[in-house]
Amino acid sequence: NTSTCAQTITIEDNVAPVITTQASDLTVECDGAGNTTALNGWLASQGGAAATDDCGNVTFTNNFAGLSDDCGETGTATVIFTAADECGNTATTTATFTIEDTQDPVVSTPAADLTVECDGSGNTADLNAWLAAQAGANASDDCSNVTWSHDFTGLSNGCGETGAATVTFTATDECGNTATSTAIFTIEDTQVPTVTCP
């Protein structure tokens, strides 16, 4: 005599993967080209995160959409990395990628002194042209454009209409980092008086 009973045994996975190592923030110095290699490497390694699951393999995805538009070529992105097991259970970890600019512009050509002969009216054209050209100085920055300013306030009171001014020219990048170069503008009088005889 026999009797039977049927039983269905179901193995299910409702447990999310376990994040064993959280994703880590990464800050890099601006290279002016988006720091693509560093960013892609960080994303590919899910910010250093790791996860395990008792029931199967774990795959990572992320929601990176782009960097914020900060000064120059800098920016940040807060990224959510999602670990998913083969049954669709997920766990997340979040980290931030930051491009910063802490480097001063580089002065490739320093400001040059200029000495002019007194014209009796302040040599205004010469002075203004020298200031506008930042005394010939040039500077560059890997991360942004550079703007120039100077601290000229006036000439010293020399003999006659002569004088001099020591001027500091400042190159500033879009993130506020600065570099300086100093030069002297001088008005001199080396000409002897002219005697006109009646």
Side-chain angles (χ1 to χ4, degrees):
N1 301 308
T2 63
S3 178
T4 62
C5 182
Q7 181 187 42
T8 300
I9 299 174
T10 302
I11 301 174
E12 64 182 8
D13 178 11
N14 295 317
V15 178
V18 175
I19 304 290
T20 55
T21 303
Q22 297 291 326
S24 298
D25 297 340
L26 179 62
T27 299
V28 296
E29 186 66 25
C30 179
D31 66 4
N35 294 82
T36 305
T37 300
L39 174 59
N40 289 341
W42 183 76
L43 291 172
S45 67
Q46 52 275 348
T52 60
D53 188 80
D54 289 338
C55 197
N57 295 321
V58 174
T59 57
F60 272 93
T61 58
N62 66 72
N63 70 339
F64 175 76
L67 294 164
S68 64
D69 186 14
D70 296 342
C71 61
E73 295 292 327
T74 66
T76 61
T78 298
V79 179
I80 299 172
F81 297 94
T82 301
D85 65 20
E86 295 175 18
C87 293
N89 303 300
T90 61
T92 61
T93 179
T94 302
T96 301
F97 183 86
T98 303
I99 301 174
E100 67 178 6
D101 179 11
T102 64
Q103 299 298 310
D104 295 333
V106 175
V107 176
S108 54
T109 304
D113 297 342
L114 178 63
T115 299
V116 296
E117 187 67 23
C118 178
D119 66 4
S121 58
N123 294 82
T124 305
D126 292 330
L127 175 59
N128 288 341
W130 184 78
L131 292 172
Q134 56 272 352
N138 282 311
S140 61
D141 187 81
D142 287 339
C143 195
S144 67
N145 295 320
V146 172
T147 58
W148 285 93
S149 60
H150 59 75
D151 64 354
F152 175 78
T153 56
L155 294 164
S156 64
N157 187 19
C159 58
E161 295 292 327
T162 67
T166 300
V167 180
T168 299
F169 297 91
T170 301
T172 305
D173 67 21
E174 293 176 18
C175 293
N177 303 301
T178 61
T180 61
S181 185
T182 300
I184 301 171
F185 182 85
T186 304
I187 301 173
E188 67 178 6
D189 179 9
T190 64
Q191 299 299 312
V192 298
T194 300
V195 176
T196 303
C197 296

